[in-house]
Amino acid sequence: MARCCDNLDKWWYVGNTPAISRLGIPSLNMQDAAGGFRPYWNELTGTVTCWPSLLSMAATFDDDLVHTFAVALGEEFRGKGANVILGPSINVHRVARNGRNFEYLSGEDPYLGARLVKQYVNGVQSNKVATVMKHYALNHQETQRNSYSSSADLKTMKELYMPPYMAAIEAGVSAVMCSYNLVDGAHACASSELLNGELKGDGHFQGFVQSDWGATHSTSVTSGLDMDMPMAPDGYFDPSALSAVAPSAINASAKRIVAVMYRMDMFTNTKCAPPNCETYLRTNVSTAAHQQIARDGATASVVLLKNDNATLPISHEYVSTIAVVGAAAVGAIFNPTSGQGHGGWNTGDYYSGGGSGHVAAGYVVTPLAGITAAAHAAGITVVSSTSNDASAAAAVAATADLTIVLAATTSGEAMDRSSLALDDNADSLISTVVGAAKKTIVLVQTPGAFTSPWRNDVDAIATMFLGGQMTGLAWGDILFGVVAPSGRLPIMLPASESDAIAVTSSTTIRYTEGLATSYRASSFTAAYPFGHGLTYATFTYGTPTVATCGALPCVQMSVTHDGGAASMCATATPQVYLEFPQAAAQVAPVLKGFVKTRRLCAGQSQQVTFEFTQRDFSYYDAATRAWVQVAKVTAHVGASSADIKHSIPLPTAVEIEAVPFQ
Ligand code: BGC
């Protein structure tokens, strides 16, 4: 039984299983996760990197960058003596106001999540730190998280919500954390269908299942739960309770845990057993190299939503003074302050979301600091008004050639957002500034979707999904063209609150929309569509052709940088959405490929190839409980889910040419 944690004793991890010296079994030293190594006590503040959120990493659409980040993350955990990371969080978003959306690497798309989670698992585990995918399953809002029961039809489950889990299994993820909620009336941690059926059966998952903290509600070993974590109401996994379970079932669970220990070299590589881990826990593991990766990640995660008349990048040729306004320009770090370092535990800030995924940074580069440094380097003067007082902001804006408004919100675990609006009346601040400024640029920092009623009135908009401690430097690099933007929306930004699935107060949550979430829902209007992201260049997508890659058809296309007076060298991220024949009962073409090009300069081209698997060409048929491969799809290639440049028919099998008889 695991030990922990209403009041976490020093120097224990957030989750611990004791070493068994008689058998040479090491302790499991487990720590959260989402924004980096969770600095539980104040003494640990500043000894870890506060990374961009996993939703920010999703916005990079960049396999290599996610891998680099994950390797560094694993190094920090290893340096801290942890041998398990309680991540990645990979649920495909359903509810836009879910307080934990910033934690999820999948954004709103199963393909995106499946691609990136492999990089995360491989990267972290290259350091022999075991990964735990979570929160399984159908855990999509925090309101009543211990008591609601979600239900999705089998097709929706398989096609929309399971793929990141299956991809993580393929990549060798070590464990899964079952969630607080119920699914079809059964607690997720006691659902044989979910644990024995979906994961260990269909998914051939060889790792172990652990409960979320307090999510065990019975001695559900035979239902597939291998490890009970703390905070459950009573001892469901106490020796007395376990004595009623068949020894073979207990052995099977133990084997799964010990197998992970072997695979992650824990027998030889576990650095310490709590409470003797103080030295490791106190070690500063945040190196300059890691901070550079955090900066690169934040910069690559910036999504440029709008840029009328090439307002960005800012150049000293036409701008001599900029105004930076809004309280979020100097957003403070939230650092839990109680004796346990656990006070206000689910409060977030504008750099890292709240709850178990929060990393209270030792320092952050605020937007104002980062923008000021970059402006000065470009020979530009900065004036500021760092509150949301609209008239003060307007007065400053009137003195500048261009005004940058910082607007933000945050969220945290155990609580959903009350709306998709930005904090402190930022909407009215922006509207007032527009009336006073020559040009207005809005920079948004959020844990997920937000509404933007002012979007048609401003000149440029860029967003970051809680970018970690290097946030200000990332803004500086993007605004002044040190780096061209390359982020893409991993979610749809809704035109209004009603263009997203709402939080429900009912404890019975039926996913009646099926596959129709995000860009797949024709009833929703996007302010900015899934996959969207501009840069300081435009690209021409050549006519795609069908080729053969290995044993399967693939799509090839050239991407050419258009050149143009104000353009910079930049990357493109062409995406492919596959449309299935009617039998597949799809609601829209779905993402099945993207390629991040290298940095292309004026006139340069790159040939990109979209490769597919047989599963990419298949739909799930609930009636026969089987994946069915279709014979032909239509490939829509474009710059976002709503900006399709070319569509071509794509056979899903390579036609074998008849070889003439000799
Ligand atoms: C969260 C998990 C986390 C655990 C340990 C729970 O409240 O849901 O994501 O890993 O706490 O901190």
Side-chain angles (χ1 to χ4, degrees), residues 186-422:
H187 281 286
C189 292
S191 166
S192 182
E193 207 175 320
L194 284 178
L195 307 180
N196 290 330
E198 289 292 332
L199 289 182
K200 296 179 180 178
D202 278 13
H204 306 290
F205 175 54
Q206 303 292 317
F208 64 88
V209 179
Q210 70 175 181
S211 67
D212 201 338
W213 272 230
T216 305
H217 295 272
S218 56
T219 309
S220 42
V221 181
T222 52
S223 300
L225 181 63
D226 302 306
M227 184 186 286
D228 171 41
M229 297 312 290
M231 290 164 70
D234 45 58
Y236 296 118
F237 275 50
D238 281 355
S240 58
L242 291 177
S243 64
V245 178
S248 59
I250 307 239
N251 283 343
S253 291
K255 245 190 224 165
R256 285 175 175 271
I257 297 166
V258 172
V260 166
M261 290 174 167
Y262 268 109
R263 221 161 38 89
M264 293 295 117
D265 288 351
M266 289 181 193
F267 290 94
T268 49
N269 247 337
T270 300
K271 290 188 165 169
C272 60
N276 301 316
C277 294
E278 178 177 353
T279 315
Y280 292 109
L281 281 163
R282 281 184 180 274
T283 304
N284 189 338
V285 292
S286 180
T287 62
H290 289 185
Q291 287 160 29
Q292 183 62 45
I293 298 167
R295 177 180 182 167
D296 294 344
T299 307
S301 79
V302 172
V303 185
L304 180 62
L305 298 173
K306 171 176 181 174
N307 191 21
D308 284 358
N309 304 315
T311 304
L312 293 174
I314 300 168
S315 154
H316 71 273
E317 284 169 32
Y318 65 94
V319 171
S320 57
T321 303
I322 61 170
V324 177
V325 306
V330 290
I333 298 166
F334 176 74
N335 193 357
T337 52
S338 81
Q340 292 292 329
H342 211 42
W345 76 280
N346 61 351
T347 305
D349 55 39
Y350 296 154
Y351 312 98
S352 177
S356 56
H358 186 60
V359 170
Y363 77 93
V364 294
V365 181
T366 63
L368 181 61
I371 294 168
T372 302
H376 289 170
I380 293 169
T381 304
V382 178
V383 292
S384 62
S385 168
T386 53
S387 76
N388 274 22
D389 178 331
S391 45
V396 172
T399 67
D401 301 313
L402 179 158
T403 299
I404 298 167
V405 187
L406 267 298
T409 188
T410 188
S411 67
E413 184 180 336
M415 219 168 73
D416 292 314
R417 292 163 65 190
S418 57
S419 78
L420 295 179
L422 302 166

Side-chain angles (χ1 to χ4, degrees), residues 67 467 661:
H67 188 262
F661 186 75

Side-chain angles (χ1 to χ4, degrees), residues 435-605:
K438 291 196 184 112
K439 283 188 173 203
T440 306
I441 298 166
V442 180
L443 305 183
V444 183
Q445 293 168 209
T446 61
F450 61 93
T451 45
S452 50
W454 31 262
R455 63 186 170 278
N456 294 329
D457 307 325
V458 303
D459 298 282
I461 312 171
T463 190
M464 212 190 292
F465 294 108
L466 305 185
Q469 67 181 74
M470 296 303 190
T471 291
L473 294 176
W475 283 136
D477 284 347
I478 294 291
L479 290 174
F480 295 91
V482 180
V483 179
S486 62
R488 295 291 179 273
L489 282 178
I491 57 175
M492 181 193 100
L493 292 182
S496 70
E497 292 270 350
S498 56
D499 293 301
I501 295 176
V503 172
T504 164
S505 53
S506 162
T507 49
T508 302
I509 307 180
R510 293 190 204 293
Y511 292 13
T512 49
E513 74 287 348
L515 300 167
T517 66
S518 182
Y519 68 93
R520 295 164 291 267
S522 57
S523 57
F524 292 156
T525 304
Y528 297 99
F530 177 91
H532 172 71
L534 304 173
T535 188
Y536 302 148
T538 57
F539 297 91
T540 297
Y541 290 7
T543 307
T545 53
V546 175
T548 302
C549 297
L552 287 173
C554 52
V555 172
Q556 293 189 325
M557 181 184 75
S558 66
V559 177
T560 307
H561 185 298
D562 293 338
S567 69
M568 279 182 58
C569 303
T571 59
T573 310
Q575 301 148 39
V576 62
Y577 295 82
L578 296 188
E579 180 182 342
F580 283 70
Q582 230 174 4
Q586 298 293 32
V587 291
V590 283
L591 183 72
K592 291 292 180 187
F594 60 83
V595 176
K596 193 125 209 159
T597 67
R598 64 172 188 276
R599 215 163 137 265
L600 299 172
C601 297
Q604 289 180 338
S605 287

Side-chain angles (χ1 to χ4, degrees), residues 14 32 38 100 134-135 145 177 180 212-213 356 413:
V14 167
D32 297 303
R38 181 180 180 187
R100 301 190 83 169
K134 67 186 188 185
H135 305 86
R145 67 174 179 174
M177 187 187 291
Y180 287 125
D212 201 338
W213 272 230
S356 56
E413 184 180 336

